[in-house]
């Protein structure tokens, strides 16, 4: 579901692993489970603003229900680990995108991600919005999932990225699927 994907995109922009996010959410609870109230509090503690607005509570509840498939009223660490499978899919998309950039815009520069960013920054303003990102990636011939990659590099969740944020993708250069 879209809210779960968006929450995961937020999590990976702030934490290296879903386990780190679990620890941040569950920090004051020693039961090894996160009940709905703690999930709501933890969600705000993580400063996730993706769902701000009148439907925020509904979105948070939808995410909680997805992560609590047993309907027991709390999320176990095992249930939370389901996010890890989704995270691996996103990281694979990022890896494929970095490989696409290297093939599409080879550069002798060590700073190849900046060179790729310049090619993608069609209007030359130094930032790319989410809408521009999707359009320019498809126009360049990348047909993988563009939005999760954008959300990964949009660390401040403002809806625009610059070359410095784009450089976060460089760590995927030279990786293989097994290293994700």
């Amino acid at each position: 579901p879209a809210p779960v994907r968006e929450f995961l995109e937020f999590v990976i922009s702030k934490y290296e692993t879903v386990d780190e996010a679990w620890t941040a959410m569950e920090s004051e609870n020693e039961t090894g489970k996160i009940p709905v109230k703690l999930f709501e509090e933890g969600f705000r503690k993580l400063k996730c603003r993706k769902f701000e607005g009148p439907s925020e509570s509904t979105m948070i509840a939808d995410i909680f229900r997805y992560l609590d498939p047993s309907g027991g009223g709390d999320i176990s660490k095992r249930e939370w680990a389901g996010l890890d499978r989704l995270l691996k899919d996103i990281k694979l998309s990022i890896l494929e995108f970095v490989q696409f950039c290297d093939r599409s815009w080879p550069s002798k520069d060590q700073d190849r991600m900046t060179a790729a960013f310049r090619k993608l920054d069609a209007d030359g303003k130094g930032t790319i919005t989410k809408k521009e990102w999707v359009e320019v990636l498809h126009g360049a011939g990348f047909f993988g999932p563009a939005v999760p990659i954008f959300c990964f590099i949009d660390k401040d969740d403002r809806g625009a990225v610059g070359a410095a944020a784009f450089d976060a993708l460089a760590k995927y250069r030279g990786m293989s699927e097994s290293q994700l």
Side-chain angles (χ1 to χ4, degrees):
V4 175
R5 188 198 74 231
E6 289 181 47
F7 176 63
L8 182 59
E9 289 163 359
F10 167 80
V11 166
I12 65 170
S13 75
K14 304 292 181 207
Y15 301 95
E16 280 296 313
T17 66
V18 294
D19 281 345
E20 288 178 27
W22 167 270
T23 300
M25 293 276 280
E26 193 251 354
S27 65
E28 297 174 19
N29 184 19
E30 296 179 13
T31 66
K33 295 186 177 194
I34 300 175
V36 67
K37 181 101 171 121
L38 185 63
F39 183 77
E40 291 167 355
E41 291 168 9
F43 197 89
R44 288 176 181 82
K45 189 164 86 175
L46 296 180
K47 297 180 181 157
C48 181
R49 294 185 206 77
K50 284 198 171 284
F51 308 108
E52 282 182 338
S55 62
E56 180 179 39
S57 293
T58 303
M59 297 292 200
I60 293 171
D62 288 348
I63 296 166
F64 183 86
R65 278 192 296 276
Y66 178 85
L67 293 172
D68 180 27
S70 67
D74 51 30
I75 302 168
S76 69
K77 191 158 186 180
R78 184 170 169 255
E79 290 170 327
W80 180 267
L83 288 175
D84 211 31
R85 290 185 301 278
L86 299 173
L87 175 60
K88 284 186 171 109
D89 287 343
I90 292 172
K91 285 183 173 182
L92 179 59
S93 297
I94 292 168
L95 175 65
E96 290 170 348
F97 174 70
V98 169
Q99 292 169 345
F100 170 82
C101 288
D102 287 346
R103 283 190 313 273
S104 299
W105 305 291
S107 173
K108 294 177 183 168
D109 248 344
Q110 285 207 2
D111 199 4
R112 291 185 282 177
M113 293 315 293
T114 301
F117 180 83
R118 283 191 209 111
K119 296 287 187 182
L120 294 170
D121 183 16
D123 61 12
K125 292 182 179 177
T127 60
I128 303 173
T129 65
K130 188 188 288 188
K131 182 179 183 223
E132 291 170 323
W133 176 265
V134 171
E135 291 171 2
V136 77
L137 259 60
H138 288 279
F142 180 74
F143 297 104
V147 173
I149 299 165
F150 181 88
C151 292
F152 173 78
I153 59 177
D154 184 20
K155 302 279 187 205
D156 61 10
D157 210 19
R158 293 204 172 137
V161 296
F166 194 77
D167 285 341
L169 300 172
K171 73 179 186 178
Y172 289 88
R173 178 167 283 110
M175 276 190 180
S176 67
E177 273 187 61
S178 64
Q179 294 171 301
L180 298 175

